[in-house]
Amino acid sequence: MLKNIRNMKFVARLHLMIIIILFIATTLGLIGFTRTTQMSATMDDLYRKSLAGSKLLIDVNLAISKLHLGIAEYALATPEMRAKTREAQSALYAALDENMQKYIALSADKEQDGLVQEFNAAYQAYKTDSTQAIALADAGKIQEVVAFNAGAT
């Protein structure tokens, strides 16, 4: 083969070298494009599942913290503060529900289904309990609120 290349005319050898170089450049370009596309898909998946999901869960956690603090202070608050707490509570529940629904839609992992169901059960129990604690506090039954929050009832 090498002997055949030496016997070729200069222009034919030049054309052959150009074809070989173009073939190598095209192959390297395709490999680079394929790898870049794979990296881009991986980064998109990482963002979609990890970063965006984490942000939504942080917002859920923040809403839970604010709800918990509002309920904890509710029994001893003034009527004006109680009204503000009730207003904030509905907005926080809405934000919590919205962020959890977005997180559930974002995360298609079957591994997390059990955790999401466990969270939803605890969340619904919390909503029920906080409603009862607020009703007791509104009725002026502070001792019962304290006992209820301590788990005595």
Side-chain angles (χ1 to χ4, degrees):
M1 169 115 178
L2 194 56
K3 194 173 189 179
N4 290 339
I5 291 176
R6 286 186 191 161
N7 290 335
M8 294 174 72
K9 292 185 180 182
F10 176 74
V11 174
R13 277 189 273 170
L14 185 61
H15 283 145
L16 180 62
M17 290 299 164
I18 289 172
I19 290 172
I20 290 172
I21 290 171
L22 286 174
F23 176 75
I24 291 171
T26 303
T27 303
L28 290 175
L30 287 173
I31 290 171
F33 179 75
T34 303
R35 297 293 183 205
T36 303
T37 303
Q38 288 173 347
M39 283 191 323
S40 176
T42 301
M43 292 305 292
D44 285 346
D45 193 45
L46 176 68
Y47 170 77
R48 188 178 60 78
K49 286 187 176 178
S50 298
L51 296 177
S54 294
K55 169 71 170 95
L56 291 169
L57 290 178
I58 287 169
D59 290 344
V60 165
N61 190 36
L62 181 63
I64 289 171
S65 297
K66 287 181 178 179
L67 282 167
H68 183 68
L69 289 174
I71 296 299
E73 297 171 352
Y74 191 83
L76 303 175
T78 63
E80 297 83 27
M81 291 301 294
R82 286 183 180 183
K84 286 183 181 179
T85 299
R86 282 193 297 272
E87 285 177 27
Q89 188 179 30
S90 60
L92 290 169
Y93 280 138
L96 200 151
D97 290 337
E98 178 185 350
N99 286 322
M100 273 309 291
Q101 290 306 317
K102 285 180 182 178
Y103 177 75
I104 291 168
L106 189 67
S107 177
D109 292 340
K110 296 298 178 194
E111 299 170 0
Q112 295 180 355
D113 285 349
L115 294 173
V116 169
Q117 289 174 355
E118 184 179 336
F119 172 82
N120 283 334
Y123 174 53
Q124 293 307 319
Y126 176 81
K127 282 174 85 171
T128 302
D129 289 350
S130 67
T131 303
Q132 288 177 300
I134 286 174
L136 289 171
D138 285 342
K141 301 176 180 179
I142 303 303
Q143 292 299 328
E144 290 181 33
V145 173
V146 172
F148 183 81
N149 285 338
T153 60

